[in-house]
Amino acid sequence: MPGEQLSVPSRALISPRVSRILLPLVLAALMGILGVWSTAGGGYVAGTGDHFVLSPEGLSWVHPDAFKNDWFMQAAPQPHWFFDLITMMGESLGALSAVYALLWMAGLLAAGAATSLLAHRFVPGAPWAMGIAVTLVMAVMPWMMGGTGSPLIAMALPAVQSANLIYLVLAAMLCERRLIVIVVAPLIAILHVQQGSIVLVLLVAMLISTAIRERRLDRAMSVALVLTGGFVAFGLIIRPVASNLQDFVQICDKIIPYHCAAHLWTGKEIASSIGMIVLCALSVFLVPAAKRWLWLTTVGLALLGYSGGFLVDLLRIPLLGTLAQGVNVYRLAAVLLPFAIWGAFAPLLTRARGWRLLIIAGIWGVAWIAVLYTPYLPAPSRTRAILLGLALLVPFAWYLVARHRRGVDDADLRLVTISSGLLVVLLSAVNGGMVLRAPNFTFIGSTELQEWGKEVRDVVPSGDVIVASPRDEWAKLVTQRAVVVDCKDVPYGGAPWREWQKRIEDLGGFQQCVAPGPLLYNTLSADQLIGIADTYSSDFILVNPGVPHTMDDLEAKGWTHVVSPVGSTGADLMRRPR
């Protein structure tokens, strides 16, 4: 049975050593392909989303005239210094698109290696079948779960790749592969300081647990702790995060409630998060009883931290709820999600019988359905819950009945895991969850938007500031020119946060930043836009094509129309009278 050591089949098609090398590559490729096809997101993307915030700094190191005089980059530098180096390197080589794609693929390989480690260690009779099944189910999950971006996001991002590395570190801890921990744990701190801090806590917990149980100091974990702690400290020294607890809570409640304000979530968001918590808890059955202290020290600790923070925030418990939001406990959701997928196979992993099995199966069923009710997957929730619920329920029921009546072997386990994973993907595709498409690795994938950005750069001198709609979050990156403010570049707190609020109110108000908020910038008159330009010493105003009367009014006041949209992208650029 899974959850205990079984002998490797004597007539294996490939040797165990080759299997351990090949399976991570297969799983990474499978996750990458399905990630591109998944309609949970837009396929692989670059030069959009969080790249609006994270890419400009590295680009500015290569192009000194780019983004000059942008207030956000000066007042609130992002903590991801290593991503800046990667961006600089890619742009210097003229291969930024390829470098970002390789970073994304490295994260996939880390996730594949983690799944392979766990499958070989704890399901040795069917490592390929179980690894593929877990990957298939993982690939149809949403890109947002429990308040944070998923490690499944098909994009080169510090948070995504570091989450995949945390999955690998946790797998290595559970499998007692200390060399992997020593190598990978510091890489997490290099990629993402906050995720590195999470790893520090896990390493300390492992050291304490080993000291208590075995009365010795785990030297490997100590080395990993020192290296990881050193890089966390280095990151905080060179890029101190200007944050304030109360300010960050205000940001959560006003601007990004879906990230860090559970008390403002919809019923479906709450239900799917609870389902994730329960499935993650059920992943304990993956590990044999004798080694469950490892699970409790690692996955269990992360689960406890997330669950406690989620609960005190959801219930609005004074002080504790604020603290949970302020430290952004929701980052732990990215740690929990891969193990929640392992928990989705709990009925196959547990050794329970009789009424205990019925209780576990009942809890599993409710949790799996709850996860499927997430609002961040396409198609109606009820249809999705029925189809994907049956995709696991039917094969699992067959397996458990067969186990009760005649007993089962590794061949049965391989059959049920592969069939259930394939059913999940197939029914997800039928329900609109998959679409065949080739990846577009180009940084800023729209050639029309690239052309529009170049035209603006040719007109707007370096160092000049553009008045643009805060909802046009792409304007700064594609033009490489400073903007007054936008909805994506939000400081973490302190004086920059207060300045951001002032600027956003000048340009229409923060409500336009809470999707699908009203396009308040478009309601501003020509006189108001000129007043904003005067306030921020700007000679350029972007006008969206949907409000041509504003452009007419600006022209009547002597402003010149200098750049038009290219195709269906961009906006009209107006220049102050000379």
Side-chain angles (χ1 to χ4, degrees):
M1 283 298 300
E4 61 182 338
Q5 288 297 304
L6 299 177
S7 60
V8 178
S10 59
R11 308 184 87 178
L13 294 177
I14 55 178
S15 70
R17 183 176 181 179
V18 173
S19 176
R20 285 176 168 80
I21 296 173
L22 189 58
L23 183 55
L25 298 174
V26 172
L27 299 183
L30 186 60
M31 183 177 290
I33 292 169
L34 294 179
V36 170
W37 291 351
S38 173
T39 55
Y44 177 86
V45 291
T48 187
D50 283 358
H51 285 173
F52 294 149
V53 183
L54 301 181
S55 296
E57 183 66 27
L59 291 173
S60 71
W61 294 354
V62 182
H63 308 290
D65 290 338
F67 313 105
K68 185 177 291 186
N69 205 29
D70 185 79
W71 85 273
F72 176 81
M73 293 177 64
Q74 295 172 352
Q78 297 301 291
H80 310 299
W81 59 271
F82 187 71
F83 190 78
D84 295 337
L85 288 174
I86 290 175
T87 302
M88 179 193 70
M89 179 185 70
E91 183 69 7
S92 298
L93 296 173
L96 182 58
S97 300
V99 169
Y100 275 2
L102 289 173
L103 180 60
W104 169 61
M105 293 175 188
L108 295 176
L109 185 58
T115 302
S116 176
L117 269 178
L118 294 171
H120 277 102
R121 173 68 174 81
F122 299 117
V123 197
W128 279 73
M130 182 60 76
I132 290 172
V134 167
T135 301
L136 290 172
V137 175
M138 193 179 297
V140 302
M141 288 294 100
W143 285 14
M144 170 72 70
M145 177 69 79
T148 197
S150 163
L152 309 173
I153 294 174
M155 193 174 187
L157 292 174
V160 173
Q161 280 71 62
S162 63
N164 285 321
L165 289 176
I166 288 182
Y167 178 33
L168 178 55
V169 162
L170 286 170
M173 288 177 173
L174 291 174
C175 297
E176 300 179 275
R177 300 289 295 273
R178 287 170 170 76
L179 180 59
I180 295 177
V181 177
I182 293 174
V183 173
V184 175
L187 293 179
I188 298 169
I190 291 172
L191 266 175
H192 198 289
V193 169
Q194 189 174 25
Q195 300 285 42
S197 301
I198 292 173
V199 174
L200 280 180
V201 174
L202 297 175
L203 288 169
V204 169
M206 283 291 292
L207 282 169
I208 294 173
S209 182
T210 301
I212 292 174
R213 289 179 56 84
E214 303 178 14
R215 300 190 181 282
R216 68 178 180 87
L217 178 66
D218 191 321
R219 294 181 180 178
M221 294 298 170
S222 299
V223 171
L225 179 67
V226 171
L227 292 174
T228 306
F231 280 114
V232 168
F234 176 76
L236 291 175
I237 290 170
I238 67 169
R239 293 282 181 86
V241 180
S243 183
N244 174 280
L245 184 66
Q246 292 298 331
D247 287 348
F248 190 74
V249 171
Q250 187 181 19
I251 295 167
C252 288
D253 290 349
K254 290 179 64 174
I255 310 298
I256 49 173
Y258 51 88
H259 267 315
C260 46
H263 59 277
L264 298 176
W265 290 357
T266 65
K268 289 183 178 180
E269 288 174 305
I270 294 171
S272 60
S273 299
I274 293 174
M276 179 188 68
I277 290 171
V278 175
L279 287 182
C280 183
L282 291 176
S283 71
V284 69
F285 294 114
L286 173 67
V287 184
K291 293 293 185 180
R292 282 184 184 159
W293 68 272
L294 289 168
W295 185 94
L296 292 171
T297 306
T298 54
V299 181
L301 181 61
L303 177 64
L304 179 64
Y306 178 87
S307 303
F310 167 77
L311 186 62
V312 298
D313 179 19
L314 181 65
L315 299 179
R316 300 284 283 172
I317 295 178
L319 184 60
L320 293 178
T322 299
L323 183 62
Q325 285 185 272
V327 301
N328 198 10
V329 71
Y330 298 97
R331 279 288 181 198
L332 289 169
V335 181
L336 270 55
L337 182 58
F339 288 93
I341 304 305
W342 279 98
F345 290 86
L348 307 182
L349 300 173
T350 180
R351 300 176 63 189
R353 298 291 191 275
W355 63 270
R356 291 186 179 87
L357 177 59
L358 291 175
I359 292 175
I360 292 170
I363 294 172
W364 163 82
V366 173
W368 176 236
I369 296 299
V371 165
L372 296 175
Y373 264 91
T374 173
Y376 298 108
L377 281 175
S381 301
R382 182 175 299 178
T383 303
R384 178 174 62 245
I386 292 173
L387 290 176
L388 300 193
L390 290 173
L392 293 189
L393 177 62
V394 173
F396 287 9
W398 170 83
Y399 180 83
L400 294 175
V401 170
R403 188 177 74 178
H404 175 72
R405 289 182 174 178
R406 62 172 174 83
V408 291
D409 57 18
D410 289 340
D412 293 318
L413 182 59
R414 289 192 289 270
L415 176 62
V416 72
T417 50
I418 284 291
S419 61
S420 59
L422 290 174
L423 276 173
V424 166
V425 170
L426 177 62
L427 294 178
S428 176
V430 169
N431 198 41
M434 292 280 170
V435 59
L436 297 180
R437 57 187 164 199
N440 181 2
F441 294 117
T442 306
F443 183 73
I444 307 177
S446 169
T447 55
E448 292 181 342
L449 195 57
Q450 290 182 35
E451 182 182 343
W452 178 83
K454 183 180 183 303
E455 291 182 8
V456 173
R457 284 196 297 278
D458 291 341
V459 172
V460 180
S462 174
D464 278 26
V465 178
I466 300 174
V467 176
S469 169
R471 286 283 292 275
D472 291 345
E473 299 158 340
W474 39 265
K476 182 169 77 176
L477 181 62
V478 301
T479 64
Q480 297 188 4
R481 293 297 180 260
V483 297
V484 174
V485 70
D486 67 51
C487 293
K488 194 70 177 176
D489 287 334
V490 182
Y492 295 120
W497 164 239
R498 292 188 290 275
E499 175 65 18
W500 183 89
Q501 292 181 89
K502 174 185 177 300
R503 288 172 177 252
I504 210 73
E505 289 302 320
D506 287 345
L507 271 71
F510 81 90
Q511 293 87 353
Q512 63 192 311
C513 293
V514 184
L519 299 177
L520 298 176
Y521 177 85
N522 290 351
T523 66
L524 298 175
S525 68
D527 287 335
Q528 288 174 306
L529 290 172
I530 292 172
I532 294 168
D534 292 341
T535 299
Y536 294 101
S537 302
S538 172
D539 292 334
F540 297 92
I541 296 174
L542 279 180
V543 180
N544 290 322
V547 285
H549 62 277
T550 303
M551 188 170 62
D552 294 339
D553 292 344
L554 286 170
E555 287 182 325
K557 295 178 181 296
W559 287 65
T560 306
H561 183 209
V562 290
V563 176
S564 299
V566 177
S568 59
T569 66
D572 293 290
L573 182 67
M574 307 297 293
R575 183 171 58 199
R576 184 188 293 275
R578 294 183 176 180

